[in-house]
Amino acid sequence: MLFYPAYLTLKDRNVLVVGGGAVGCRRLSPLIEAGAKVTLVAPQLVDEATMLVEKHDLKWLCRSYSAELLAEQWLVIAATNSAELNTAIAQQAEADGIFCNVANDANTGSFICPSLINDGQCQIAIATGGAAPVLTRLLKFRIRAILPRHLKQLIAVSAAKRADIKRTFTTVSHRRRFWEGFFNKALNPDNTDYAKLYDQHLSEASEQASAAVPLTCVLPDDLDDLSFGMVKKLHQADLVIVSEQDERRIETFIRQDCRRVRPEAYAQIAPAPYASVIAIVTN
C-alpha cells in the first residue's frame, strides 16, 4: 500500500500521546517543534520524556488511558507496549474522525510517521511504509550527508528575494528558471556567499530572459539511449512540442506543470513567453 504524503499544520492543535516509554518519547520532540498542544498520558515516563515534560511544560496525565481522553483531540499517537490497546485507540479515533498513528505498526491507524531530516525550513521525510525501517534510517543518513552545510542561509536568501524576483520576471516559467539556475550554482560547495551569487545570477538571468528558441530533441528507439543532458533539459522544459504517441513515451521525463502542444498547434501559441521550449522529433 502506498501512503499519501502530507505535512500537517499542528500549531495550537490538541494532540494526545498515549505511552511514556522510549517509543512515545521519540514522538514528542517533532510535535513540540511543530507547536502542538501536547497532552501525554502514561502511568510512568522514561527519563527523557520526563525532561521534555519539564522543559516544555507539557501536560502529563499520570494515569492509564481511557476513552474520554480523545475528546477534543485533533490527533493521537498510540505508543503503548500493548498492541491490543493501541488497536483499540486507533479504532476509537477512526470512529471519532481523529488522525491516529500507531507506533511500530504501519498497518493500523490512519497515518505513519516518517523519518525526518530537519535543517531550518528544509524538511525531508523518508518512509518505506514500515516495510524496511533499517533501510529508512540508512537512507536518512546518506541523504543528510550530501546536503549543503549552509542550507539555512540559502533558504533565508531565497525567502528574502522571492518578492523581488516576482517583480523582475513576470512569468512563472522565467521565475522558475531563475531559481533553478541560482540553486544549481549555490549547491556547489565552493559557493557560500549566497547574497553575492544572487546578485551575479540576477544580472545574467535578466539579460537572457528573452523568448526561448525551441530546442530539438530526437527521440531514440530505446529511451535508455537518451542522454543525461537531454533528460535534464526535458525536466526543465516549460513547453514541449510533441505528438500524442511520443508524449506517452516521454511522460516520465517531463514535469506535471509542463505544457504539451501538438506540432500543428504550436504556431498559435508561439508568442507566449516560455523560458524553455523543446520540440520532440522521432528518430
Side-chain angles (χ1 to χ4, degrees):
M1 177 178 68
L2 288 179
F3 291 85
Y4 181 80
Y7 286 93
L8 303 179
T9 300
L10 295 184
K11 183 172 176 57
D12 295 328
R13 296 191 189 274
N14 294 328
V15 175
L16 180 68
V17 177
V18 186
V23 177
C25 184
R26 286 199 297 269
R27 295 289 192 266
L28 288 176
S29 292
L31 294 172
I32 294 168
E33 291 173 3
K37 297 170 66 175
V38 178
T39 297
L40 176 62
V41 56
Q44 54 188 8
L45 305 178
V46 295
D47 291 343
E48 186 178 354
T50 300
M51 288 172 26
L52 289 173
V53 168
E54 295 174 351
K55 179 179 180 180
H56 298 282
D57 196 24
L58 302 183
K59 183 178 180 180
W60 172 36
L61 302 180
C62 183
R63 49 167 289 190
S64 298
Y65 171 82
S66 57
E68 72 274 6
L69 292 175
L70 276 186
E72 300 183 0
Q73 298 297 327
W74 196 84
L75 181 148
V76 59
I77 306 289
T80 75
N81 57 8
S82 168
E84 183 178 354
L85 177 56
N86 289 342
T87 299
I89 295 171
Q91 290 173 344
Q92 184 188 351
E94 179 70 21
D96 293 346
I98 299 171
F99 286 110
C100 179
N101 166 254
V102 176
N104 297 331
D105 187 354
N107 298 315
T108 307
S110 53
F111 74 98
I112 62 173
C113 294
S115 183
L116 282 177
I117 297 173
N118 285 320
D119 195 341
Q121 290 293 98
C122 179
Q123 291 183 306
I124 301 173
I126 309 161
T128 54
V134 174
L135 175 60
T136 301
R137 288 194 293 271
L138 288 174
L139 290 174
K140 173 181 177 178
F141 293 136
R142 290 199 178 192
I143 293 172
R144 189 67 190 88
I146 64 174
L147 291 178
R149 289 178 298 171
H150 305 287
L151 194 55
K152 292 180 183 178
Q153 294 91 322
L154 179 57
I155 293 174
V157 169
S158 173
K161 300 297 185 180
R162 286 188 66 188
D164 291 343
I165 294 303
K166 285 185 178 181
R167 288 190 293 267
T168 303
F169 301 103
T170 57
T171 68
V172 173
S173 60
H174 281 101
R175 290 197 292 268
R176 181 185 58 78
R177 177 53 53 86
F178 168 84
W179 286 120
E180 283 183 348
F182 171 70
F183 289 133
N184 279 328
K185 292 178 180 178
L187 291 176
N188 185 321
D190 294 332
N191 292 327
T192 55
D193 188 344
Y194 298 132
K196 179 179 179 180
L197 181 64
Y198 169 87
D199 291 336
Q200 292 175 343
H201 185 64
L202 179 60
S203 176
E204 296 170 0
S206 298
E207 296 174 359
Q208 300 170 358
S210 57
V213 176
L215 172 69
T216 300
C217 172
V218 179
L219 288 186
D221 294 332
D222 186 346
L223 290 184
D224 287 340
D225 295 331
L226 200 61
S227 71
F228 176 77
M230 187 51 68
V231 169
K232 182 178 178 181
K233 287 183 172 61
L234 284 171
H235 178 71
Q236 293 174 339
D238 301 299
L239 172 69
V240 172
I241 310 164
V242 62
S243 67
E244 182 176 357
Q245 179 181 354
D246 286 337
E247 181 181 351
R248 290 195 293 268
R249 295 183 65 203
I250 66 168
E251 185 65 33
T252 58
F253 298 111
I254 52 181
R255 304 189 326 275
Q256 290 184 347
D257 62 337
C258 175
R259 186 175 180 184
R260 292 90 155 158
V261 298
R262 304 295 173 245
E264 60 274 14
Y266 175 62
Q268 301 175 19
I269 58 97
Y274 291 95
S276 176
V277 180
I278 294 181
I280 302 297
V281 179
T282 302
N283 190 3

